[in-house]
């Protein structure tokens, strides 16, 4: 899970471009 | 499934595609064929035009005055009216050549940084599109991650094709056209990054898919049940099967005269995997050789242990 933290985040919420 | 359900699925994915992807094929082709009236893209074809246009790379809205002034300067200076459309056969392709030796240090790294930040944004767009595929968010979360990790670069390469013609590609939401020769003039190995995508893209464009076909094809790619490390393959294959049926029907209705289009499209999926493998190896090489290069954390996550 830790290895793909941002992908997990993107899948679970709508991340705004600024957060990337 | 009933034909009506398959058509509803096609419509749903097309709507999601329009919602999440800012530059459609329809819009890109209009820009590339000069059918957008006065709104012409700024052309980057050499170091001089790069210096003029670089500040606007990845801008959602290029300031009009500046943009037009520079555009006309490029157009007048080189006798190019409008932009080099695929059919023009102009001598545009040669404009960017012969400057390799003049490339100032750092240009490639700056371009690569821009490429990375737009790619990270595009990964977010593809993720939102994937979540809109019926059944996708009900899959095991780890499998959703795996499908995206393995599918997203393939999707992005497919999505670049409509922005390309044999002479170059639109970037910055269609506001800038960067020539193929300019990419080739960059120092090694940066000059090797785009050429395979152009070769693929130009061939892919001959299939003449429209945006509604593309939406289904992208969903098929995302729902590949043979990605390494998937925990629960069955439901993924079932979803893909339905989208494949929908795609087959869509192509029959939308391209009745295009023989074997469905089969040709499926063949492209094999070609794509090789392009992605080569792309990942190139980035790994860059990581080793370019000490000043920072890799975006999201792209790092995707590329790590991919192939």
């Amino acid at each position: 899970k830790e290895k793909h933290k941002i992908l997990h985040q993107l899948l679970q919420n709508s991340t705004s471009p600024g957060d990337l | 499934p009933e034909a009506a359900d398959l058509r509803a699925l096609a419509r749903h994915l097309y709507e999601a595609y329009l919602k999440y992807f800012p530059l459609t094929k329809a819009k890109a082709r209009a820009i590339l064929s000069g059918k957008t009236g006065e709104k012409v893209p700024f052309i980057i074809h050499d170091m001089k035009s790069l210096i003029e246009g670089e500040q606007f790379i990845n801008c959602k809205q290029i300031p009009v005055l500046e943009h037009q002034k520079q555009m006309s300067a490029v157009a007048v200076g080189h006798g190019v009216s409008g932009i080099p459309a695929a059919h023009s056969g102009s001598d545009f392709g040669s404009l960017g050549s012969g400057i390799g030796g003049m490339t100032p240090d750092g240009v490639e790294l700056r371009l690569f940084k821009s490429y990375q930040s737009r790619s990270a944004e595009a990964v977010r767009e593809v993720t939102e599109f994937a979540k809109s595929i019926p059944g996708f968010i009900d899959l095991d979360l780890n499998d959703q991650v795996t499908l995206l990790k393995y599918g997203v670069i393939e999707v992005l390469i497919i999505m670049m094709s409509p922005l390309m013609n044999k002479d170059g590609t639109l970037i910055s939401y269609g506001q800038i056209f960067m020539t193929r020769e300019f990419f080739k003039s960059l120092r090694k190995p940066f000059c090797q990054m785009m050429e395979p995508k152009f070769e693929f893209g130009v061939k892919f464009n001959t299939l003449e898919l429209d945006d509604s076909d593309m939406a289904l094809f992208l969903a098929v790619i995302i729902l590949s049940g043979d990605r390494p490390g998937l925990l629960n393959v069955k439901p993924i294959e079932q979803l893909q099967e339905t989208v494949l049926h929908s795609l087959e029907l869509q192509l029959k209705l939308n391209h009745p005269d295009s023989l074997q289009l469905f089969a040709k499209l499926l063949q492209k999926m094999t070609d794509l995997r090789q392009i992605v493998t080569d792309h990942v190896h190139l980035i790994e090489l860059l990581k080793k050789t370019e000490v000043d290069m920072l890799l975006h954390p999201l792209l790092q996550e995707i590329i790590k242990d991919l192939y």
Side-chain angles (χ1 to χ4, degrees):
Chain A
K1 230 176 181 180
E2 274 304 298
K3 262 174 72 183
H4 300 108
K5 216 171 117 189
I6 310 175
L7 276 177
H8 269 98
Q9 269 173 12
L10 286 175
L11 281 162
Q12 289 185 297
N13 2 285
S14 294
T15 308
S16 75
D19 298 337
L20 287 179
Chain B
E2 296 284 329
D5 293 340
L6 296 176
R7 297 306 292 147
L9 177 61
R11 266 197 310 278
H12 170 83
L13 290 175
Y14 179 43
E15 278 163 21
Y17 173 101
L18 295 178
K19 184 174 172 189
Y20 295 116
F21 300 133
L23 184 55
T24 59
K25 175 165 183 174
K27 205 168 142 193
R29 294 334 273 185
I31 299 170
L32 286 171
S33 55
K35 286 177 190 153
T36 44
E38 286 183 14
K39 257 186 109 185
V40 284
F42 182 83
I43 301 171
I44 294 178
H45 60 94
D46 60 6
M47 281 301 153
K48 186 173 172 285
S49 50
L50 175 70
I51 290 163
E52 287 166 0
E54 195 179 356
Q55 56 183 313
F56 303 118
I57 291 177
N58 289 350
C59 270
K60 290 217 166 158
Q61 189 92 53
I62 295 181
V64 172
L65 276 175
E66 201 67 19
H67 170 208
Q68 284 175 343
K69 194 173 71 195
Q70 289 182 4
M71 173 59 214
S72 58
V74 170
V76 172
H78 298 282
V80 179
S81 61
I83 71 147
H87 56 264
S88 73
S90 70
D91 61 349
F92 201 86
S94 62
L95 285 177
S97 60
I99 57 170
M102 285 160 55
T103 309
D105 277 349
V107 161
E108 286 84 359
L109 288 176
R110 291 206 304 278
L111 280 175
F112 192 68
K113 197 179 165 200
S114 303
Y115 147 82
Q116 286 198 71
S117 82
R118 180 66 187 101
S119 300
E121 172 64 18
V123 170
R124 191 190 60 82
E125 292 161 8
V126 173
T127 307
E128 292 304 318
F129 175 74
K131 281 153 76 177
S132 78
I133 302 171
F136 184 86
I137 52 167
D138 304 321
L139 298 170
D140 185 299
L141 184 59
N142 294 296
D143 284 348
Q144 294 180 41
V145 168
T146 302
L147 292 179
L148 273 175
K149 182 182 171 81
Y150 283 89
V152 76
I153 305 179
E154 294 180 14
V155 166
L156 294 184
I157 290 172
I158 290 282
M159 293 194 69
M160 278 160 91
S161 304
L163 316 183
M164 293 175 158
N165 62 27
K166 66 173 176 48
D167 297 317
T169 183
L170 291 172
I171 58 167
S172 300
Y173 310 93
Q175 300 174 106
I176 295 176
F177 183 84
M178 203 174 263
T179 67
R180 188 171 177 174
E181 286 299 322
F182 179 70
F183 283 112
K184 280 162 87 173
S185 75
L186 300 172
R187 74 175 159 88
K188 264 186 168 181
F190 294 94
C191 58
Q192 297 161 335
M193 289 200 80
M194 285 300 287
E195 199 52 25
K197 284 80 174 178
F198 276 114
E199 280 166 20
F200 175 85
V202 168
K203 277 188 266 169
F204 186 78
N205 287 341
T206 63
L207 299 180
E208 299 192 303
L209 299 191
D210 69 17
D211 288 301
S212 55
D213 309 325
M214 291 277 283
L216 285 160
F217 184 49
L218 299 182
V220 167
I221 292 174
I222 293 168
L223 297 169
S224 296
D226 61 348
R227 306 297 192 190
L230 285 174
L231 303 172
N232 202 355
V233 169
K234 198 88 193 268
I236 299 166
E237 285 180 342
Q238 282 167 346
L239 289 180
Q240 193 194 41
E241 189 73 12
T242 310
V243 183
L244 277 168
H245 282 306
S246 180
L247 176 62
E248 193 175 16
L249 179 61
Q250 161 85 10
L251 296 178
K252 270 186 194 147
L253 296 169
N254 207 18
H255 306 266
D257 301 324
S258 184
L259 291 172
Q260 301 296 321
L261 182 55
F262 183 59
K264 284 179 192 164
L265 207 45
L266 298 188
Q267 178 58 42
K268 292 289 172 199
M269 292 169 73
T270 320
D271 306 345
L272 262 179
R273 294 207 179 182
Q274 190 54 51
I275 296 176
V276 172
T277 309
D278 296 344
H279 180 79
V280 171
H281 288 157
L282 207 50
I283 307 254
E284 276 162 357
L285 175 74
L286 285 175
K287 257 170 75 179
K288 283 195 200 122
T289 57
E290 303 293 325
V291 280
D292 299 329
M293 193 188 83
L294 289 172
L295 203 53
H296 191 290
L298 174 56
L299 304 182
Q300 217 159 299
E301 264 187 33
I302 291 167
I303 280 167
K304 195 163 191 279
D305 306 320
L306 191 69
Y307 289 118

